Amino acid sequence: MTYQAEYLWIDGTEPTREIRGKTKILADGEEPGIWGYDGSSTNQATGDNSDVVLNPVFSCPDPIRGGDNILVMCETLLTGDMSPHPTNTRAAARAALEMYSSMDPWFGMEQEYTMLDPVTGWPAGFPENGYPRPQGPYYCGVGAVRITGRDIVEEHMQLCIAAGLKISGVNAEVMPGQWEFQIGPAGTVEVGDHLWLARYLLYRLGEKYGVEISLEAKPMKGDWNGAGMHTNFSTQAMREGYDAVVAAAESMGAEGKPAEHLTGYGVGIEERLTGEHETQRYDQFSYGVSDRGASIRIPWQVEQEKKGYIEDRRPNANADPYVVATLITNTVCSAAS
Ligand code: ADP
Ligand code: MN
Ligand code: MN
Ligand code: MN
């Protein structure tokens, strides 16, 4: 007897990386081992030296195929010395976690996305050649006209649960056709593994239903919310006391840090972080309690309980979670040590 392993990895597509996958049939009892692929087709190698190595690092049940079949997240390595491929952003997340594991960093990422008609490119729920009623009734809305695509959202949530991913919730967003799911709390490396696999499952449902799942940061220009990936973060010390929470917010605003972080927060950040639509401007840094117009929000409950976490509202929906988690772990934990 055999089973199927879907090998998944992050490609070298510029400016926004995508997940890729291919299937390997394995004999029962056989572990998924090292494999490879044609890196010249994924912007990760030249044709004359095209092999890139796949190193399995995380696996879970494949909820689409079911049975004993699995999803296998891989790191990309160079042939030769088997060092991380330059596009392998997970390696840096591993290094950050290794350095600061004693602080026990946790992440919760809120992945927003937009369902698009693959032919017109228009968001689901937008009338043909026109616009729906202005934003207001859609966020966490209920009912026809307000809501499009819930079947996909519901099925996606069930797939994530069946795969054992740390999904913590879903909701309809401010713009019609826009939705969110959250992954966390999870560690610096784990949050990226689980988020990328949750994206994969969502894209697969997009294939099934003929809907394009877009992580574009500002899919509709004008008076429509963009799509972000708010990133909630805590260390053990922050979960125990408020001084560490404030210190974390301060460290994110230290000289040079805001600009450094924005380089890893996804494509089109200036278009989304305008100071409107629940954002702070990309060229300003601020933090505040309950402030959805700040770069960093301290949730009101955290202020009440004098412990908890901070929310970095800046990352775009199209950011690489490994990169975001690496930046925040390094910035907050190095300032705290
Ligand atoms: P919002 O109120 O901004 O919409 P959400 O409820 O969508 O927030 O997402 C909050 C995320 O933060 C969830 O994924 C949750 O698991 C995560 N979270 C909760 N507590 C912590 C913590 N102490 N550290 C890191 N992440 C946390
Ligand atoms: Mn949310
Ligand atoms: Mn949201
Ligand atoms: Mn949020």
Side-chain angles (χ1 to χ4, degrees), residues 20-332:
R20 308 251 183 162
K22 61 175 183 164
T23 310
K24 188 172 198 168
I25 317 292
L26 295 164
D28 272 352
E30 186 185 356
E31 288 290 311
I34 296 273
W35 205 17
Y37 64 99
D38 169 15
S40 72
S41 297
T42 61
N43 202 32
Q44 285 167 307
T46 51
D48 58 348
N49 185 17
S50 66
D51 287 317
V52 177
V53 176
L54 288 174
N55 183 33
V57 287
F58 170 73
S59 70
C60 65
D62 181 342
I64 297 176
R65 291 189 170 125
D68 292 335
N69 305 305
I70 58 173
L71 303 177
V72 182
M73 191 65 180
C74 300
E75 277 193 35
T76 53
L77 308 180
L78 296 168
T79 56
D81 66 357
M82 300 284 268
S83 64
H85 189 276
T87 61
N88 175 351
T89 53
R90 189 181 187 277
R94 255 194 298 118
L97 180 58
E98 216 162 281
M99 178 105 86
Y100 298 114
S101 61
S102 66
M103 297 188 192
D104 199 15
W106 289 4
F107 287 86
M109 292 190 179
E110 307 169 46
Q111 175 73 69
E112 295 181 342
Y113 60 96
T114 311
M115 297 184 189
L116 302 176
D117 180 315
V119 178
T120 64
W122 217 230
F126 275 52
E128 226 175 302
N129 302 317
Y131 291 89
R133 282 158 58 207
Q135 293 184 159
Y138 310 113
Y139 170 75
C140 298
V142 187
V145 184
R146 291 188 195 87
I147 289 299
T148 312
R150 193 188 298 276
D151 287 350
I152 296 174
V153 173
E154 193 67 21
E155 197 170 329
H156 176 247
M157 184 177 73
Q158 301 303 340
L159 289 177
C160 287
I161 293 168
L165 302 180
K166 291 186 169 176
I167 188 165
S168 53
V170 301
N171 62 269
E173 268 304 334
V174 174
M175 188 182 92
Q178 217 162 58
W179 293 86
E180 170 181 314
F181 65 85
Q182 302 105 29
I183 296 287
T188 301
V189 177
E190 184 183 41
V191 73
D193 291 342
H194 287 218
L195 186 56
W196 273 114
L197 291 186
R199 285 177 177 178
Y200 167 77
L201 293 172
L202 188 56
Y203 295 149
R204 289 294 307 273
L205 286 176
E207 295 175 14
K208 180 174 159 185
Y209 289 99
V211 168
E212 189 192 341
I213 303 297
S214 172
L215 300 187
E216 211 189 308
K218 193 76 181 183
M220 295 306 285
K221 317 306 169 200
D223 211 9
W224 303 99
N225 273 33
M229 189 177 73
H230 295 169
T231 297
N232 302 276
F233 175 78
S234 65
T235 59
Q236 179 78 36
M238 293 164 71
R239 294 188 290 274
E240 286 169 358
Y242 200 61
D243 287 352
V245 172
V246 173
E250 285 284 339
S251 69
M252 299 276 262
E255 173 98 49
K257 284 294 165 188
E260 181 194 346
H261 278 240
L262 289 192
T263 61
Y265 281 7
V267 171
I269 206 98
E270 304 85 357
E271 270 190 305
R272 180 176 147 263
L273 299 184
T274 58
E276 304 289 321
H277 304 112
E278 306 179 42
T279 68
Q280 171 60 289
R281 284 181 55 88
Y282 68 93
D283 55 2
Q284 284 171 35
F285 178 87
S286 63
Y287 70 87
V289 176
S290 291
D291 189 352
R292 287 174 198 269
S295 317
I296 306 265
R297 176 176 67 105
I298 298 175
W300 72 268
Q301 242 174 324
V302 173
E303 209 243 351
Q304 287 270 309
E305 293 171 8
K306 295 285 179 245
K307 60 182 180 179
Y309 61 97
I310 58 172
E311 176 193 45
D312 189 345
R313 302 178 57 79
R314 297 169 296 171
N316 273 351
N318 59 20
D320 176 345
Y322 293 132
V323 173
V324 174
T326 301
L327 281 163
I328 296 176
T329 301
N330 284 333
T331 294
V332 176

